């Protein structure tokens, strides 16, 4: 088999995505059942951005599956100074079984995967956040039982990794996802993502809608999703302007009154 990487939610097929959710439910019900699934396997966790949930969940997961996780911070590494990402990928491929990376840029993530002969898992870059999607979709799956007929909304910054993978997940799994945010190129989904979702929807029967109207987005939706307006890369000088732009998309009681 050729090596598989998980760089965005749509790198999985619909069947694979649902299979992971079923495995997750099974593991939660009886963790001991898979306690040696990754015995003698090592995960290298490469972090360029700080994290609480990502690091702790991956380390705990590896331990519970019988494997071992190594935390490695980019700021303490020779990456970008003495070594390129290609060098790093080749070295890690000889020493560990899988790499998880939380990086700033999709290009860096893509180069890491391209030069790795072991699986690479994207734990966040500026283009996707597939592990976040698996976790969030599992919550919905546990509460609802299926994605059939689901209507879901996202309000906030539509020009970011979480929004992109929410859209991809809906398009892949075949439900309706509405995203609402301010006008302006810096807040709107990239054309590449919209086009990918349109192609996926042709197969799945899903629907991805982009609007500037928060009420239109949440109307009759079962789930409403939001994210921080202040990502790590946002400078303090930009914060006041962003708050003004995003206030109409704040999740309030009034806005939720339009949801299901």
């Amino acid at each position: 088999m050729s090596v598989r990487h998980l760089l965005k939610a749509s790198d999985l097929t619909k069947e694979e995505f649902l299979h992971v959710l079923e495995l997750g439910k099974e593991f939660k019900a009886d963790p001991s059942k898979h306690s040696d699934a990754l015995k003698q396997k090592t995960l290298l966790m490469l972090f360029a951005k700080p994290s609480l949930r990502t690091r702790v969940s991956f380390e705990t997961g590896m331990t519970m599956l019988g494997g071992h996780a190594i935390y490695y911070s980019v700021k303490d590494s020779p990456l970008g100074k003495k070594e390129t990402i290609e060098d790093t990928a080749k070295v890690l491929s000889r020493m560990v079984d899988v790499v998880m990376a939380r990086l700033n840029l999709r290009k860096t993530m893509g180069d890491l995967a391209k030069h790795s002969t072991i699986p690479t898992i994207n734990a966040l870059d500026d283009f996707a956040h597939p592990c976040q999607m698996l976790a969030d979709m599992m919550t919905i799956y546990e509460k609802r039982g299926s994605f059939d007929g689901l209507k879901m909304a996202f309000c906030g910054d539509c020009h970011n990794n979480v929004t992109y993978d929410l859209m991809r997940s809906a398009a892949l799994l075949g439900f309706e996802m509405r995203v609402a945010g301010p006008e302006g190129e810096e807040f709107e989904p990239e054309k590449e993502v919209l086009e990918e979702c349109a192609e996926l929807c042709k197969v799945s029967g899903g629907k991805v809608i982009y609007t500037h109207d928060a009420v239109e987005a949440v109307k009759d939706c079962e789930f409403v999703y939001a994210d921080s307006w202040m990502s790590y890369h946002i400078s303090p000088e930009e914060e006041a302007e962003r708050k003004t732009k995003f206030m109409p998309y704040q999740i309030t009681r009034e806005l939720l009154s339009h949801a299901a």
Side-chain angles (χ1 to χ4, degrees):
M1 289 179 63
S2 60
V3 64
R4 289 283 302 276
H5 303 298
L6 179 61
L7 304 187
K8 55 184 180 175
S10 51
D11 283 345
L12 297 170
T13 65
K14 179 180 180 179
E15 291 72 27
E16 288 169 338
F17 200 114
L18 294 173
H19 180 61
V20 172
L21 302 189
E22 284 292 343
L23 273 179
K25 286 175 64 179
E26 188 179 300
F27 182 81
K28 283 179 72 174
D30 183 8
S32 64
K33 190 174 180 181
H34 299 285
S35 60
D36 63 352
L38 294 177
K39 187 178 180 180
Q40 299 298 312
K41 301 294 183 183
T42 301
L43 166 75
L44 190 287
M45 306 185 301
L46 186 64
F47 281 85
K49 286 188 171 186
S51 165
L52 170 65
R53 284 159 290 273
T54 303
R55 178 181 177 179
V56 175
S57 61
F58 268 88
E59 273 195 49
T60 302
M62 283 300 289
T63 299
M64 293 180 78
L65 291 165
H68 175 64
I70 300 170
Y71 174 81
Y72 193 56
S73 172
V74 168
K75 72 178 183 191
D76 300 323
S77 79
L79 184 60
K81 298 182 279 286
K82 184 182 173 185
E83 292 186 5
T84 65
I85 194 70
E86 293 84 356
D87 296 328
T88 299
K90 290 172 183 176
V91 171
L92 295 178
S93 294
R94 295 196 296 270
M95 294 184 174
V96 301
D97 301 286
V98 59
V99 174
M100 175 273 275
R102 186 174 170 92
L103 304 174
N104 292 309
L105 301 173
R106 68 194 75 174
K107 183 183 185 311
T108 313
M109 188 71 69
D111 288 343
L112 178 66
K114 180 181 177 182
H115 295 279
S116 292
T117 56
I118 56 175
T120 301
I121 299 171
N122 180 0
L124 177 144
D125 63 12
D126 65 339
F127 196 53
H129 206 345
C131 298
Q132 176 82 47
M133 290 308 107
L134 286 164
D136 293 336
M137 294 304 137
M138 182 167 170
T139 300
I140 293 171
Y141 194 55
E142 287 178 304
K143 299 288 183 186
R144 201 175 179 275
S146 82
F147 297 98
D148 296 343
L150 171 65
K151 291 181 181 178
M152 183 175 172
F154 171 88
C155 295
D157 189 352
C158 297
H159 187 86
N160 76 25
N161 49 9
V162 170
T163 321
Y164 294 168
D165 259 1
L166 277 170
M167 294 162 64
R168 293 183 185 111
S169 297
L172 184 71
L173 296 172
F175 63 87
E176 184 171 323
M177 184 74 212
R178 307 168 188 169
V179 297
E183 293 187 55
E185 189 177 344
E186 69 272 34
F187 305 120
E188 299 177 354
E190 295 175 46
K191 183 181 177 184
E192 177 184 341
V193 178
L194 292 169
E195 290 175 347
E196 180 188 6
C197 290
E199 289 302 309
L200 288 168
C201 284
K202 289 178 184 178
V203 177
S204 70
K207 188 181 291 186
V208 173
I209 298 167
Y210 171 58
T211 177
H212 299 302
D213 188 332
V215 173
E216 178 188 335
V218 305
K219 185 173 175 56
D220 301 326
C221 282
E222 292 178 62
F223 292 84
V224 178
Y225 195 115
D227 195 10
S228 169
W229 299 341
M230 305 302 171
S231 299
Y232 289 119
H233 65 278
I234 304 300
S235 68
E237 293 75 30
E238 296 176 83
E239 289 190 11
E241 182 187 355
R242 284 180 73 85
K243 283 179 182 175
T244 301
K245 289 277 188 181
F246 287 118
M247 282 305 288
Y249 304 93
Q250 187 178 40
I251 305 302
T252 61
R253 288 182 183 275
E254 197 283 323
L255 183 60
L256 285 176
S257 71
H258 299 280

